[in-house]
Amino acid sequence: MRFRFTLLTAALLLSPFTQAKNAADLPQVAAMANETTAAGRSTAFVELENQIHRSLLDSIKGESGTLTRSQLEGAGQGQALADKAWLKSTGYDFAKKEQQQAGIALLETFSSLPKNTLRQNLATVETINLNATSGLRQQALVDAEGQNYLFFLADALGPRLGQAFIRAYNKGELSKAAALIKASEVSTSEAKKHFGYPRPFLIPANTIHLVPDSAIVKDNHPYTADGGAFPSGHTNTGYTDALLMAQMVPERFVPLVDRAARYGYSRVVLGVHYPLDVMGSRMVAQRNLAHYLNDPQYRSLFDEAKRQLRTALEKECGMSLSACAKVPLKDDPYAAASMQTFYRFTLTYNLPRETAAPSPLVVPQGAEVLLEAPLPHLSAAQRRQLMVKTALAGGYPLSGNADQSFWQRLNLHDAVAAAR
């Protein structure tokens, strides 16, 4: 299946968002996107997109020859894809309840945000949702229904490594990594209950267009979601999975970070989440992964899974992983300079910024572990300095206290790009 709107055109056309000062400016940008065609797309990248879609559909269908809506509810990685028995045998305690409470504490200032910020939060999702192209909507549907799998990560790996990833994943050759990555996701359900914020399509007089399913079951059933809006569970999935894969395949660290941002953006396109939901989940996922990667017992499991994954990918590639990860510019939309602009946009979605001078940025102990894999030549102190140097400007929503401010302002894309 070919999507009319590709990663490359998305990156190129989303860049003007950074020039939009408020939601009223967004329709013009979205209108520009709607006028774009898919001319000049990379054949190799198109085939990778198609393979991701086919593999997802095949996995959801399983032994069934057809795909029904009821199959989506229980779809997920079975033992053939993820070695859950191995993970269970280790006895590792992810302490999910404690991590959920830490996430709630991290996002606590959401409850005291100004009404103007919340109004623009709604206006922004309405604008992005209503003006999204059909291609963006179809990609968002695929992202949504693929939540319980890792297929979405393949396009950030590039055509050659991405295809190798899909083959190895389907064969169960990445089973330890697949199990660990998914088990590392910390549910946002308790946070949703705590904050109790209604989804945008439930706000009175909203203008959200619920997107009909034309990509997965293809029954035109409007995609919707239940439970609270803040923070976003899917975005938590996207960032957790992509950042862990980035730690395992640092050769594609920046593209994987960008893929996480695109995954969160898909939730806004579908009209089921606000920008703040996406921003909050990015913060929590970053914090959670730093916590786990600093735990020696978790790190032991991670290293074992990483070795299996890299060995399997090199086998499928038939060459070194570093060579397989290299992508010609014509086939790598993630190499477009505008992807940096897009990532920066998703850090704030141009929501109102406080005029008061922000406090100095303080890097929490251990946060620098997130840059260890892509920047092994830097010391811990140097990585911490880089986090401060490339951080987002302060004063945006969800950066009210010192700890919160760091995780909101952390810009992993720029940090790694600046040091390479």
Side-chain angles (χ1 to χ4, degrees):
M1 175 180 184
R2 288 198 171 194
F3 294 145
R4 181 172 176 268
F5 196 85
T6 68
L7 289 175
L8 177 58
T9 52
L12 292 173
L13 290 162
L14 284 169
S15 58
F17 272 130
T18 57
Q19 301 169 12
K21 301 304 181 184
N22 53 55
D25 297 325
L26 295 177
Q28 181 180 1
V29 178
M32 291 171 60
N34 283 327
E35 294 172 1
T36 302
T37 66
R41 296 203 309 173
S42 158
T43 301
F45 196 83
V46 168
E47 178 51 36
L48 175 60
E49 286 183 313
N50 292 339
Q51 185 58 52
I52 292 169
H53 191 214
R54 288 193 298 267
S55 295
L56 174 61
L57 293 180
D58 289 345
S59 292
I60 296 175
K61 285 189 294 186
E63 298 298 322
S64 175
T66 58
L67 179 60
T68 63
R69 184 149 299 280
S70 61
Q71 289 172 277
L72 296 177
E73 297 177 6
Q77 297 183 126
Q79 187 63 25
L81 295 181
D83 194 347
K84 300 175 185 178
W86 161 75
L87 188 56
K88 184 177 180 180
S89 71
T90 68
Y92 182 72
D93 181 9
F94 287 87
K96 295 292 182 74
K97 290 184 179 180
E98 289 85 347
Q99 306 317 315
Q100 288 176 339
Q101 292 306 310
I104 290 172
L106 180 62
L107 302 178
E108 196 60 61
T109 59
F110 173 81
S111 301
S112 58
L113 288 174
K115 290 183 178 180
N116 179 55
T117 298
L118 297 179
R119 281 194 294 268
Q120 187 155 326
N121 196 36
L122 174 61
T124 300
V125 64
E126 287 179 326
T127 300
I128 292 175
N129 163 260
L130 289 173
N131 292 282
T133 63
S134 61
L136 270 177
R137 289 172 177 167
Q138 289 185 356
Q139 181 63 62
L141 289 166
V142 174
D143 281 353
E145 302 301 5
Q147 180 186 22
N148 295 328
Y149 299 91
L150 299 179
F151 293 111
F152 77 96
L153 299 174
D155 67 5
L157 298 177
R160 183 165 55 191
L161 183 55
Q163 291 283 5
F165 173 84
I166 292 172
R167 292 194 300 271
Y169 185 37
N170 281 329
K171 292 177 183 177
E173 295 174 345
L174 315 178
S175 57
K176 291 181 180 180
L180 183 64
I181 288 172
K182 281 299 178 185
S184 301
E185 298 170 3
V186 177
S187 172
T188 59
S189 60
E190 289 304 310
K192 289 176 183 290
K193 293 176 185 176
H194 176 84
F195 293 106
Y197 202 73
R199 292 183 184 264
F201 60 84
L202 297 177
I203 298 295
N206 75 83
T207 61
I208 295 295
H209 165 74
L210 291 178
V211 179
D213 182 356
S214 59
I216 304 299
V217 181
K218 301 180 182 179
D219 59 358
N220 288 321
H221 186 279
Y223 180 85
T224 187
D226 54 18
F230 184 82
S232 165
H234 276 75
T235 302
N236 176 70
T237 290
Y239 268 94
T240 299
D241 297 1
L243 290 181
L244 276 173
M245 185 60 63
Q247 298 295 324
M248 295 183 181
V249 189
E251 295 88 345
R252 298 292 293 176
F253 187 94
V254 171
L256 283 160
V257 169
D258 293 342
R259 183 64 180 96
R262 290 189 58 251
Y263 197 92
Y265 186 79
S266 287
R267 306 304 289 164
V268 183
V269 167
L270 291 175
V272 295
H273 277 294
Y274 306 88
L276 285 172
D277 306 342
V278 173
M279 293 159 57
S281 284
R282 170 180 57 81
M283 294 164 58
V284 171
Q286 292 171 160
R287 178 262 165 209
N288 290 343
L289 291 189
H291 167 80
Y292 285 134
L293 289 170
N294 279 294
D295 178 349
Q297 188 179 356
Y298 179 92
R299 193 58 176 261
S300 177
L301 300 177
F302 172 86
D303 289 342
E304 184 176 350
K306 178 179 177 178
R307 285 193 298 271
Q308 183 203 50
L309 178 136
R310 292 182 67 86
T311 298
L313 291 180
E314 287 194 339
K315 175 185 174 183
E316 289 293 338
C317 286
M319 64 184 75
S320 71
L321 199 55
S322 60
C324 194
K326 292 179 180 177
V327 184
L329 291 178
K330 67 181 181 64
D331 296 329
D332 192 2
Y334 284 99
S338 49
M339 283 304 295
Q340 180 183 55
T341 305
F342 170 68
Y343 188 79
R344 289 175 178 173
F345 167 73
T346 64
L347 296 181
T348 69
Y349 282 81
N350 291 333
L351 293 178
R353 181 185 176 196
E354 294 180 4
T355 55
S359 302
L361 193 66
V362 178
V363 181
Q365 186 65 36
E368 70 277 0
V369 72
L370 295 178
L371 297 181
E372 182 179 311
L375 303 174
H377 57 289
L378 298 184
S379 67
Q382 289 173 322
R383 292 195 294 271
R384 293 167 70 86
Q385 291 169 0
L386 189 59
M387 286 176 157
V388 173
K389 179 181 178 181
T390 58
L392 175 75
Y396 287 100
L398 303 182
S399 59
N401 56 53
D403 197 36
Q404 189 181 71
S405 179
F406 171 79
W407 294 113
Q408 156 56 5
R409 296 172 62 185
L410 177 60
N411 186 337
L412 290 172
H413 176 121
D414 282 12
V416 173
R420 283 182 168 176

